[in-house]
Amino acid sequence: MSTNFYYTVVKNLRPYVRYFPQLTKPVMRVLIQASVHYIETNKCSPEILDSALNKLPHSGLVIPENFCELFAAILQIMQIYLRAPVGTVKLDELRECLQEELKLPRDHAAITIILHFHLPDGRYRTLELPLAMFHHLRYKLANLLSEMQSLEQRSVMKKF
C-alpha cells in the first residue's frame, strides 16, 4: 500500500475513531449510499442526509448519536481511496488499515456485493453476498448461459 495513502487515511480519520463503535452494518450501508450519491452529484444537499436519516427508522434501526460524524468519516475514506492512483491501494490492504489502525470492526470491513431486484409484482428484494459467493454465482450463471446457447445451436432446437 502506498505509504502516502496509509498516512492520509490515518491522519484524516483519527478524530472519528471514537464514533466507530456506533457504526453497525446497516448504518454503514446507508452511509455508503449517501456518500456515493454525494460523490456522484458533487453536492451535499440536505435531502441526501435527510433521506439517509429516514431510511434507518423505516428499517427499524436506531439512528446513531453521531450520524453526521460517521457520514463524514465514510465520505473521507471513499474520497481518499478514489483520489489514490489506480493500483496503488489493494482492497485487502485498505481493509487491514481500517481494522488495525482505525479499529473498525472486522465484519464491517468485509467486502460484500449488494444486489437489488425489482420483481414483476412491483416488490423489491435485496440480497447481500460475500465477494466469493458473488463470483461463484457469476460463474454458475455464465456456465448456464453458455449451455443454453449451445442447446439453441443444435439442429433439433432450430425447428422450434
Side-chain angles (χ1 to χ4, degrees):
M1 178 184 316
S2 166
T3 308
N4 186 31
F5 174 81
Y6 186 85
Y7 172 77
T8 305
V9 168
V10 172
K11 182 181 124 234
N12 287 330
L13 295 177
R14 278 276 184 226
Y16 300 104
V17 170
R18 65 176 174 248
Y19 305 121
F20 286 164
Q22 299 175 26
L23 193 59
T24 62
K25 273 183 125 173
V27 170
M28 187 172 184
R29 189 173 301 123
V30 169
L31 290 169
I32 289 172
Q33 290 171 351
S35 298
V36 168
H37 184 71
Y38 171 80
I39 290 169
E40 287 177 346
T41 61
N42 205 16
K43 62 180 179 182
C44 190
S45 62
E47 294 86 32
I48 294 173
L49 286 177
D50 287 343
S51 76
L53 285 168
N54 287 333
K55 281 183 183 181
L56 294 173
H58 291 305
S59 302
L61 301 168
V62 178
I63 298 171
E65 183 179 330
N66 301 96
F67 183 81
C68 292
E69 288 84 356
L70 290 169
F71 171 72
I74 299 297
L75 181 61
Q76 282 190 11
I77 292 169
M78 293 177 77
Q79 287 177 328
I80 293 167
Y81 180 76
L82 291 172
R83 288 181 184 143
V86 177
T88 59
V89 181
K90 294 181 176 56
L91 290 177
D92 290 339
E93 294 171 341
L94 174 62
R95 183 182 311 123
E96 182 181 316
C97 173
L98 294 175
Q99 289 171 349
E100 293 182 14
E101 286 297 323
L102 302 172
K103 307 296 186 237
L104 191 66
R106 180 167 289 283
D107 63 335
H108 288 33
I111 299 172
T112 59
I113 304 293
I114 299 173
L115 302 173
H116 296 286
F117 296 101
H118 183 122
L119 303 175
D121 62 358
R123 293 182 301 140
Y124 288 92
R125 298 289 296 187
T126 301
L127 181 65
E128 183 176 357
L129 299 171
L131 190 59
M133 180 69 76
F134 172 74
H135 286 302
H136 181 72
L137 176 66
R138 195 178 76 168
Y139 170 76
K140 291 292 186 183
L141 185 60
N143 212 2
L144 176 68
L145 291 173
S146 175
E147 289 291 323
M148 286 176 57
Q149 187 176 26
S150 67
L151 285 174
E152 287 176 348
Q153 292 175 352
R154 292 186 177 176
S155 59
V156 173
M157 295 301 290
K158 290 183 180 179
K159 292 179 183 176
F160 295 106

